[in-house]
Amino acid sequence: MSQDTLLDKVWDLHKVSRLPGGSDQIFIGLHLIHEVTSPQAFGALKDKNLKVKFPDRTVATVDHIVPTDNQSRPFKDNLAEQMIETLEKNCLEHKIRFFNIGSGNQGIVHVVAPELGLTQPGMTIACGDSHTSTHGAFGSIAFGIGTSQVRDVLATQTIAMNKLKVRQIWCDNKLSKGVYAKDLVLHIINELGVKAGVGFAYEFAGPAIDELSMEERMTICNMSIEGGARCGYINPDEKTFSYIKDKLCAPKDEHWENALKWWKSLKSDENSIYDDLIKIDASKIEPTVTWGITPGQSIGINQQIPLLDELSPNDKLVAEEAFEYMNFKQGQSIKDIPVEVCFIGSCTNGRISDLRIAAKVLKDKKVSKNVKAFVVPGSERVANEAKREGLDQIFKDSGFQWREPGCSMCLAMNSDKLIGNQVSASSSNRNFKGRQGSPNGRTLLMSPAMVAAAAINGKVSDVREFIN
Amino acid sequence: MKSEFNPPIGQIIQINGQCISLIGNDIDTDRIIPARFLKCVNFDSLGESVFADDRKNLNGKHPFDLEENKNASILVVNSNFGCGSSREHAPQALLRWGIKAIIGESFADIFYSNCIAIGIPCFTLAKELIHKIQKNKNDKYLFLEIDLKKSLAKSKDLNFHLDIKESSRKMFLSGEWDATSTLLENGNLIEKKLTQLPYIKFNTKLL
């Protein structure tokens, strides 16, 4: 069992009691809600005649169902309109702060909370969304929960949970040029597999992680869940503190000094004990692309899709399914596979630095005429900053459509969907069957820079050929 | 889908039912319930949409469409079942279709917690035994009696031990798997914890 890791420290701090069944009752410091997984939780409160215990510890925004073309109300989609209205009503009734469309602070919940300074080291953070692991980039212990647990957090500010084991993933050396956080995390998931993280929190550490910006660290922790780990985190450092400083909800004045003092004490001890340790050499990683139907089925841009015979019996079963679904051949190069849709956005890669990198690739270039390309900023703040820097214009000039913030085609709950068996190059996080809105649509996950390169060439390409 | 839906309540000690096998590793919650069905403010109508796309692709041949499975209630799956999205809509859809328990090689963490929270016990079993059940020629008639007290399952020809987290097992046996009331009992401790957290003091501008 792990000892003296950040997870141990934060867990112990937030432990309210040991429950009769043997799991722990854990206090949730920050609860984030959105329109998809909260209505039934509020409904359950009503059924049980319960109130929200600490309304000021829950913050809401709307992201999954929002249209990205025309956000005027009422939404064209009646069901989407009903969902946003329900969230508005619930927040009003229970006095929960809601960052609605047009507030300047709306966006994907995992983009919004960090950029407002709500996400801070040492907190426990929960949200009815599996990508809550994103917030671990700040040294918080953050995890996705289901709707029944959303109900429990609303009613009690606590949940019942078994303590997670801790696996440290030590990333040596540095990423090479044209290789990004997305490539690193796809590589890690490929190495360890999509279920290796079950029962674990992943602690990402080492020189390659230290080197990353906060937004890149969020990309890494975001995808912990794709490796099976409900929670992923990085010990906070000076980069963490300076990212938070002066944000809207960050501690101010003398509180800032107190916060800083406490945050600096928060990290895994040098001689802490882990349940498992893994080493990765970051310098050997190439731009990475998925070819199958799980985020673990990825290869470097210059590699070939594996042969079935090379795979372990377990991997083989899913690979067979992937070949049938994707209609790719064993041994085929991933490079030059034609793409029809290019999507830049999501809680994984929809932040300002992602847009900057993609815009740099796209500047003075044109999107292939066979490609429909669109960019969905992660939040209103991201969109506004991009416009201030003129990035929106670079995207538009290249042939990308510039959209309004939301989750969009990461999970296709709005009208942004693949059609038929289209192949998409996507900066999102899941290449599951049907994930992007068409029951036979095909998703290739990659970094935003690689999506930009694919958009220009109309096929999977090595972005390093576009950057000097 | 069964005509009448009765959610589980109280103690869950014994589950008797016919097995339904679903073969495949890493079956994610998007497949269990595609995102377009998440546009709802309650879970009521999810049962009919469970595995909607997979079923459409198999044109009536999906296990959830086979006549012989229409009364099944114990789902038998492979490894990492329920990975991906945290949507509780996935186990809610299974529950409303008629699933009362799941036996698998392994489960994704959030899916597992969601199942426990709504009264679906999830058991793990060695791969070889899972395969034996899934490949049993008499599969369509395999009827299991699961005893949570002893963590045992038996059928006409089989008798085996099922693994389940001890905390989950205890909660089902005591009927306290619907956690809210248990958590609320510690109201004083929760209030006290709030005052002990350093960040509550310096986050005066949280809201």
Side-chain angles (χ1 to χ4, degrees):
Chain A
M1 205 201 282
S2 66
Q3 270 177 35
D4 304 321
T5 67
L6 180 72
L7 181 115
D8 292 291
K9 294 177 188 185
V10 176
W11 193 273
D12 291 347
L13 179 65
H14 289 83
K15 188 166 153 182
V16 173
S17 73
R18 170 61 61 94
L19 295 167
S23 55
D24 288 337
Q25 181 174 10
I26 293 295
F27 190 96
I28 300 302
L30 174 66
H31 183 214
L32 304 166
I33 59 170
H34 60 79
E35 74 283 13
V36 178
T37 55
S38 70
Q40 298 88 348
F42 283 108
L45 285 194
K46 203 170 178 184
D47 291 346
K48 290 174 185 255
N49 202 17
L50 291 168
K51 285 184 180 150
V52 177
K53 191 164 178 69
F54 300 122
D56 61 348
R57 306 233 60 87
T58 294
V59 174
T61 191
V62 57
D63 51 10
H64 285 63
I65 51 97
V66 298
T68 59
D69 45 1
N70 178 359
Q71 295 191 330
S72 59
R73 301 279 303 276
F75 294 150
K76 264 187 265 172
D77 179 343
N78 288 336
L79 288 172
E81 177 61 25
Q82 191 192 352
M83 291 181 84
I84 190 173
E85 280 176 12
T86 305
L87 183 62
E88 286 170 333
K89 189 177 109 335
N90 284 328
C91 289
L92 195 67
E93 186 181 331
H94 295 279
K95 299 189 170 58
I96 290 167
R97 184 149 174 195
F98 175 40
F99 295 117
N100 205 344
I101 294 170
S103 65
N105 292 323
Q106 174 267 342
I108 307 174
V109 62
H110 311 306
V111 175
V112 165
E115 72 187 2
L116 292 178
L118 288 164
T119 301
Q120 295 172 14
M123 278 181 173
T124 45
I125 302 179
C127 172
D129 191 287
S130 62
H131 291 110
T132 308
S133 56
T134 310
H135 306 267
F138 292 79
S140 55
I141 297 304
F143 39 77
I145 54 177
T147 297
S148 294
Q149 289 188 310
V150 172
R151 171 203 64 199
D152 291 345
V153 180
L154 289 171
T156 74
Q157 205 61 39
T158 63
I159 58 168
M161 194 165 158
N162 289 312
K163 192 175 169 185
L164 298 163
K165 292 181 279 186
V166 187
R167 171 178 292 132
Q168 189 190 54
I169 301 174
W170 185 266
C171 302
D172 257 329
N173 300 317
K174 283 182 193 172
L175 293 171
S176 48
K177 196 166 184 187
V179 181
Y180 303 94
K182 181 64 156 287
D183 303 303
L184 172 56
V185 73
L186 283 173
H187 178 83
I188 291 171
I189 298 164
N190 175 263
E191 286 274 310
L192 272 61
V194 290
K195 64 166 186 167
V198 172
F200 282 90
Y202 279 176
E203 177 182 296
F204 300 98
I209 298 293
D210 294 342
E211 194 71 18
L212 299 177
S213 70
M214 286 313 295
E215 297 198 346
E216 292 173 308
R217 292 178 189 184
M218 284 189 247
T219 301
I220 302 282
C221 292
N222 172 279
M223 287 191 70
S224 305
I225 184 64
E226 311 316 332
R230 190 172 188 174
C231 164
Y233 71 87
I234 293 169
N235 285 301
D237 62 9
E238 289 302 327
K239 279 186 194 172
T240 318
F241 313 141
S242 63
Y243 178 96
I244 299 170
K245 196 168 173 25
D246 299 327
K247 293 275 189 290
L248 186 71
C249 301
K252 302 277 161 34
D253 309 319
E254 78 275 16
H255 295 301
W256 172 257
E257 295 307 321
N258 293 336
L260 207 55
K261 202 171 146 196
W262 184 58
W263 293 345
K264 283 182 177 173
S265 73
L266 280 172
K267 56 182 170 197
S268 297
D269 289 351
E270 249 169 61
N271 51 0
S272 55
I273 300 168
Y274 295 92
D275 297 284
D276 193 25
L277 288 162
I278 297 279
K279 269 194 180 185
I280 299 278
D281 183 351
S283 67
K284 299 224 166 83
I285 299 170
E286 282 198 301
T288 302
V289 180
T290 63
W291 57 269
I293 54 168
T294 81
Q297 292 172 317
S298 70
I299 48 175
I301 182 69
N302 291 316
Q303 291 181 306
Q304 280 78 41
I305 297 173
L307 304 172
L308 275 176
D309 288 345
E310 294 170 358
L311 300 168
S312 71
N314 246 347
D315 291 346
K316 211 169 166 174
L317 193 67
V318 182
E320 278 168 345
E321 237 187 297
F323 282 121
E324 195 189 329
Y325 185 83
M326 299 299 282
N327 201 21
F328 296 155
K329 294 185 185 67
Q330 301 180 50
Q332 182 182 354
S333 290
I334 192 80
K335 206 173 169 181
D336 295 338
I337 286 179
V339 301
E340 293 145 290
V341 178
C342 288
F343 169 64
I344 294 177
S346 85
C347 59
T348 311
N349 280 123
R351 296 186 179 78
I352 189 67
S353 57
D354 299 312
L355 270 49
R356 283 182 192 134
I357 290 164
K360 204 170 166 187
V361 175
L362 290 165
K363 194 167 166 49
D364 303 324
K365 302 274 195 327
K366 291 283 179 208
V367 168
S368 161
K369 61 178 183 346
N370 304 320
V371 166
K372 174 193 165 180
F374 63 115
V375 54
V376 181
S379 69
E380 292 182 347
R381 281 178 180 253
V382 171
N384 290 336
E385 177 58 22
K387 284 178 193 163
R388 201 186 63 79
E389 296 176 23
L391 305 182
D392 60 329
Q393 203 54 51
I394 296 175
F395 280 110
K396 286 189 245 179
D397 289 346
S398 75
F400 261 79
Q401 295 175 33
W402 176 261
R403 299 288 190 85
E404 303 294 337
C407 297
S408 180
M409 209 179 69
C410 175
L411 86 167
M413 274 192 77
N414 65 1
S415 58
D416 305 329
K417 296 180 197 300
L418 293 181
I419 300 165
N421 68 349
Q422 277 180 327
V423 174
S424 97
S426 180
S427 76
S428 56
N429 42 55
R430 289 186 173 137
N431 52 341
F432 297 154
K433 287 179 172 180
R435 171 75 178 181
Q436 292 193 295
S438 164
N440 47 351
R442 297 174 286 175
T443 302
L444 311 184
L445 301 176
M446 57 189 84
S447 74
M450 286 286 283
V451 176
I456 295 164
N457 286 344
K459 55 190 185 181
V460 178
S461 305
D462 189 339
V463 70
R464 291 172 298 189
E465 290 161 17
F466 289 83
I467 51 180
N468 23 9
Chain B
M1 200 182 71
K2 316 298 177 284
S3 52
E4 203 178 314
F5 173 64
N6 294 309
I9 41 165
Q11 291 176 303
I12 299 175
I13 298 166
Q14 180 92 20
I15 297 160
N16 301 337
Q18 188 192 317
C19 291
I20 171 171
S21 288
L22 188 68
I23 296 171
N25 292 333
D26 307 320
I27 292 180
D28 58 77
T29 52
D30 273 84
R31 280 173 69 186
I32 300 173
I33 188 85
R36 63 182 180 279
F37 298 108
L38 273 50
K39 275 197 266 181
C40 55
V41 291
N42 59 51
F43 294 127
D44 298 348
S45 59
L46 292 175
E48 60 202 66
S49 313
V50 70
F51 293 110
D53 291 343
D54 284 3
R55 286 161 78 181
K56 195 172 171 211
N57 282 339
L58 287 178
N59 210 6
K61 296 202 176 96
H62 190 277
F64 277 67
D65 283 324
L66 298 178
E67 182 63 23
E68 70 234 32
N69 286 334
K70 74 173 185 192
N71 291 318
S73 59
I74 299 174
L75 179 61
V76 183
V77 297
N78 299 103
S79 127
N80 201 26
F81 187 73
C83 59
S85 160
S86 63
R87 60 189 70 167
E88 190 174 298
H89 305 66
Q92 291 280 5
L94 291 168
L95 184 70
R96 278 164 172 74
W97 186 86
I99 298 300
K100 293 190 168 70
I102 313 180
I103 302 174
E105 289 171 43
S106 64
F107 299 93
D109 272 345
I110 305 177
F111 178 82
Y112 180 90
S113 324
N114 287 341
C115 285
I116 302 308
I118 64 172
I120 306 177
C122 294
F123 303 93
T124 52
L125 188 63
K127 192 183 192 166
E128 295 70 30
L129 267 168
I130 294 270
H131 287 192
K132 200 171 167 186
I133 296 173
Q134 288 180 332
K135 286 175 185 164
N136 186 342
K137 279 189 186 145
N138 296 323
D139 178 29
K140 53 181 149 180
Y141 307 116
L142 185 67
F143 195 88
L144 276 185
E145 290 176 16
I146 301 175
D147 178 351
L148 259 154
K149 265 189 189 152
K150 296 178 185 151
S151 298
L152 280 178
K154 60 176 184 183
S155 70
K156 213 167 59 183
D157 326 307
L158 288 166
N159 214 331
F160 51 89
H161 178 85
L162 289 168
D163 280 320
I164 182 165
K165 279 183 195 164
E166 191 53 19
S167 55
S168 312
R169 197 179 73 94
K170 280 186 180 161
M171 281 155 79
F172 287 127
L173 290 177
S174 69
E176 286 167 359
W177 49 270
D178 183 354
T180 321
S181 47
T182 313
L183 297 171
L184 273 174
E185 280 171 21
N186 291 324
N188 290 342
L189 293 176
I190 298 169
E191 307 272 350
K192 192 174 156 203
K193 182 53 77 182
L194 183 76
T195 64
Q196 290 170 343
L197 295 169
Y199 55 83
I200 303 293
K201 297 182 191 78
F202 54 67
N203 272 313
T204 52
K205 297 224 172 150
L206 182 66
L207 293 170

